[in-house]
Amino acid sequence: MDENEIMYEIRGACFEVFRELGPGLLESVYVKALKFVLEENDLDVEAEVDVPVFFKQQLLGIGFRIDLLVENKVIIELKSVKEIEDVHKKQLLTYLKLSNKKLGLLVNFNCKELKDRESMFRIINGTI
């Protein structure tokens, strides 16, 4: 399954979670619910994946955590905030670069409805 096929499955799962739970819960609730739905759809999903940070080939001992990694190809970063800001997009882009992945999805579940360019953002490594 390529990244675009995985993304299609992820988006469907996001809509399913949003229909069931609605807006305004903690991010951790959406992470667990989305992981559950994606695994139900026979996708390999890892939660809270550590991403190490290297500087001049030296491991800094600090890093980041990816909310969800699907099929070891697509990163999902979930938010439950008033609105998505550029810093959230840059955060996902950084995760893509550090983990050497091509594609990510940034989703804000604190919204009236899930919509592209308002609450769902597809981020490609190298662009926002």
Side-chain angles (χ1 to χ4, degrees), residues 78-119:
L78 301 178
K79 300 293 180 193
S80 185
V81 294
K82 184 176 178 181
E83 63 184 46
I84 292 293
E85 297 186 26
D86 283 343
V87 68
H88 299 125
K89 296 173 188 176
K90 290 174 184 174
Q91 176 187 16
L92 177 52
L93 185 57
T94 298
Y95 291 174
L96 289 167
K97 288 177 181 178
L98 290 173
S99 63
N100 221 14
K101 306 296 181 209
K102 293 181 190 176
L103 187 60
L105 185 66
L106 173 61
V107 183
N108 182 19
F109 279 98
N110 191 23
C111 57
K112 289 182 183 178
E113 58 183 313
L114 289 180
K115 288 184 179 181
D116 286 332
R117 298 189 189 131
E118 287 182 25
S119 52

Side-chain angles (χ1 to χ4, degrees), residues 51-65:
V51 179
V53 177
F54 290 88
F55 180 73
K56 295 187 177 186
Q57 301 175 347
Q58 180 69 34
L59 178 61
L60 296 180
I62 57 173
F64 300 98
R65 285 208 172 121

Side-chain angles (χ1 to χ4, degrees), residues 25-43:
L25 299 173
L26 295 173
E27 291 170 21
S28 58
V29 174
Y30 296 113
V31 168
K32 288 183 180 184
L34 189 55
K35 184 177 188 298
F36 178 82
V37 172
L38 291 168
E39 288 176 336
E40 260 191 340
N41 293 334
D42 295 322
L43 293 169

Side-chain angles (χ1 to χ4, degrees), residues 1 9 17 29 39 41 43 46 49-50 55-56 68 102 106 124 126-127:
M1 190 177 287
E9 295 292 326
V17 168
V29 174
E39 288 176 336
N41 293 334
L43 293 169
E46 295 177 73
V49 178
D50 288 327
F55 180 73
K56 295 187 177 186
L68 295 170
K102 293 181 190 176
L106 173 61
I124 300 169
T127 64

